Amino acid sequence: MDLTGKEMIMNRKEMALQKVEKIKAGYSAFAESHEVTAMIRKELEKQDIDVYEDKTDLGSWFIPTNKKE
């Protein structure tokens, strides 16, 4: 921890899981690194969560889709 009490380094796996939780809550999530993007894709597939992925030059947006049943 630094003097502000905030962690300076964030585990990439933890970051990916937090973004998946955002997606599950109905929010979009953005990832810059290929490593975090791959982790998010893997976790979304594992949990059978349907998203639209918008790939850009800067990273990927994961946008939740509404499944019609």
Side-chain angles (χ1 to χ4, degrees), residues 48-63:
D48 194 30
I49 299 170
D50 193 28
V51 297
Y52 169 75
E53 183 179 353
D54 184 14
K55 297 177 186 177
T56 70
D57 292 338
L58 300 175
S60 291
W61 279 99
F62 294 90
I63 304 163

Side-chain angles (χ1 to χ4, degrees), residues 12-13 16-17 19-20 23-24 31 33-51 53 62:
R12 288 184 179 129
K13 177 74 172 177
L17 292 175
K19 291 179 185 289
V20 170
I23 294 164
K24 286 169 58 176
S33 78
H34 295 289
E35 184 179 5
V36 174
T37 301
M39 288 182 203
I40 292 171
R41 278 191 209 110
K42 184 176 180 178
E43 190 63 29
L44 291 170
E45 184 176 326
K46 180 179 168 183
Q47 295 188 31
D48 194 30
I49 299 170
D50 193 28
V51 297
E53 183 179 353
F62 294 90

Side-chain angles (χ1 to χ4, degrees), residues 4-29:
T4 63
K6 296 181 181 177
E7 292 184 21
M8 296 290 289
I9 299 172
M10 186 170 213
N11 179 322
R12 288 184 179 129
K13 177 74 172 177
E14 183 181 322
M15 185 185 309
L17 292 175
Q18 287 178 358
K19 291 179 185 289
V20 170
E21 289 302 314
K22 275 184 68 173
I23 294 164
K24 286 169 58 176
Y27 296 98
S28 297

